[in-house]
Amino acid sequence: MWNSIYRFLCGLCAPSSSEHGLHGAHPVAALGRDILSFQSTSQVPDELSRHVVSSKKAQANWYKKLLVAWKKARPPPKTPEEAAAFVVQTLKNHQKADVEGLLSFYGLPHPNAAAGTPAAPPPPKKPQGAKFELHTLPIDPKSVADGDTVNVYVDTADPREAGSVPREVQKAAAERAKARAAKNYQKADALQKIIVDAGYRPVPNARGEEVLAKKYRIRLRGIDAPESAMPYGKEAKEALLKLVQGKSLKVYVYDEDRYGRCVGDIYCDGVFVQEQMLKKGFAWHYTAYDQRPELAKWEKQAQTGRKGLWASSKPQKPWEWRKDKRNGTA
């Protein structure tokens, strides 16, 4: 009972087997979370014994091997098929019944299940020029800074993040969970500071469970929204918030700006966020850094329809406003 409560609070564990298989938990993320949780707690999932024949001691040995292999994987598995192959290869010298039971526990495909069936299509490639892709946790209202900047959090069980979480952060997260369970909130707050200072934070996932996540600051590529102190600055922020609040985002990152922000394209439920901001008239096409013709077209549509900031006869460009402010003429 204590293990279940502790691991739930820690947010590094996977849900129960019924949650893995029936309630939409991503099997790769669940596997990664349990592997990383084992590093901090030396505990295996409570419900796993229902699916395998070997003892808890043997199960712990599997997770030791999986942890070592997960850290060495470059990149770690991203799809259920890759994760299944990873488990089978890592535990190839163990009983077949145990390996198949472990796959079933996480809702991963059995290698033989695909025999005679058409191969799945390859995953879509990143857009040309994109350096990497992020899949975020649901966006909190406080994460939207203005009309073109948003802070996002990525679950550390995500294959891209799993192998790079600092040991001290994992330890602090585990100790924080213990402190909160013991109602030692002063200690928990001190541990929270260690986690946050390292660029991580415990945040709720789509199921409301607290998980350890890495923070990224995202600057929307190709647009420039009015600053908060400018006319339409508040409206631009609210427009972006309305698009992303409570939703998980896909972010294609192309560059990093001088402020350390990731410059990227953001998609929400298949909708290109920059397109909506331009069409609604809450951002300018930032031509100094991005010459994509579709951005110019969407900006022109808003101008023609006098939407958003284009309702003003002479809207000021944000980059000119910032320059005037630096020069003391704003």
Side-chain angles (χ1 to χ4, degrees):
M1 178 66 177
W2 165 249
N3 279 342
S4 297
I5 296 173
Y6 160 63
R7 290 165 60 233
F8 172 80
L9 290 169
C10 183
L12 293 174
C13 66
S16 68
S17 59
S18 62
E19 290 174 318
H20 285 317
L22 300 177
H23 297 297
H26 193 287
V28 182
L31 174 65
R33 190 177 302 122
D34 277 348
I35 290 172
L36 294 180
S37 175
F38 180 82
Q39 177 170 306
S40 301
T41 67
S42 298
Q43 299 292 319
V44 300
D46 292 333
E47 302 295 325
L48 181 58
S49 293
R50 297 183 181 181
H51 296 258
V52 299
V53 297
S54 293
S55 66
K56 285 280 189 180
K57 183 177 180 180
Q59 295 169 30
N61 186 42
W62 307 341
Y63 279 83
K64 288 179 184 177
K65 293 182 178 181
L66 290 169
L67 177 61
V68 171
W70 189 274
K71 288 184 174 181
K72 290 181 178 179
R74 291 292 183 272
K78 295 182 179 180
T79 67
E81 291 75 19
E82 291 174 353
F86 165 82
V87 170
V88 171
Q89 178 63 28
T90 305
L91 303 180
K92 60 184 178 182
N93 295 325
H94 292 267
Q95 294 185 58
K96 181 179 179 181
D98 282 330
V99 175
E100 291 183 347
L102 187 64
L103 295 175
S104 296
F105 175 68
Y106 287 106
L108 295 170
H110 289 219
N112 294 334
T117 61
K125 295 182 179 179
K126 295 191 299 290
Q128 184 176 3
K131 294 181 178 179
F132 57 90
E133 178 181 337
L134 300 174
H135 294 267
T136 79
L137 292 165
I139 301 300
D140 182 88
K142 295 180 181 179
S143 295
V144 177
D146 52 37
D148 54 36
T149 305
V150 58
N151 295 325
V152 305
Y153 292 90
V154 178
D155 192 337
T156 53
D158 184 280
R160 186 177 183 277
E161 306 294 338
S164 60
V165 184
R167 172 66 177 169
E168 59 270 21
V169 172
Q170 296 181 44
K171 182 178 179 181
E175 291 297 322
R176 175 181 174 273
K178 289 181 180 179
R180 287 177 61 83
K183 297 185 178 180
N184 186 348
Y185 298 116
Q186 183 176 359
K187 181 178 180 180
D189 289 345
L191 291 163
Q192 169 87 344
K193 186 176 187 304
I194 294 174
I195 296 169
V196 172
D197 288 348
Y200 293 82
R201 185 183 295 272
V203 297
N205 63 13
R207 297 184 300 277
E209 302 166 349
E210 188 178 86
V211 298
L212 182 65
K214 183 175 181 180
K215 178 182 178 181
Y216 290 88
R217 296 173 64 213
I218 307 297
R219 174 65 165 82
L220 276 67
R221 175 176 174 244
I223 68 171
D224 198 3
E227 300 292 337
S228 298
M230 293 178 64
Y232 295 98
K234 180 180 178 181
E235 290 84 349
K237 177 180 177 179
E238 290 176 348
L240 179 57
L241 180 60
K242 186 176 181 180
L243 285 169
V244 303
Q245 182 178 354
K247 298 177 181 178
S248 297
L249 310 178
K250 179 186 290 186
V251 184
Y252 293 111
V253 176
Y254 290 80
D255 205 352
E256 182 177 301
D257 68 12
R258 58 180 175 171
Y259 303 107
R261 299 174 298 187
C262 294
V263 180
D265 288 342
I266 295 181
Y267 291 84
C268 179
D269 294 336
V271 174
F272 184 28
V273 171
Q274 282 100 307
E275 176 182 353
Q276 295 303 309
M277 292 297 290
L278 286 167
K279 284 183 173 180
K280 294 175 185 294
F282 290 118
W284 295 72
H285 177 200
Y286 209 175
T287 54
Y289 296 95
D290 195 316
Q291 288 78 45
R292 283 179 285 179
E294 61 268 30
L295 302 188
K297 181 184 75 173
W298 296 328
E299 180 187 60
K300 185 64 177 177
Q301 289 176 3
Q303 285 178 319
T304 302
R306 299 185 64 81
K307 294 183 178 180
L309 63 90
W310 301 110
S312 173
S313 58
K314 291 184 178 180
Q316 187 176 16
K317 299 178 177 67
W319 53 91
E320 292 182 351
W321 184 89
R322 291 191 294 268
K323 181 179 179 181
D324 290 344
K325 189 175 182 181
R326 288 194 299 270
N327 295 336
T329 58

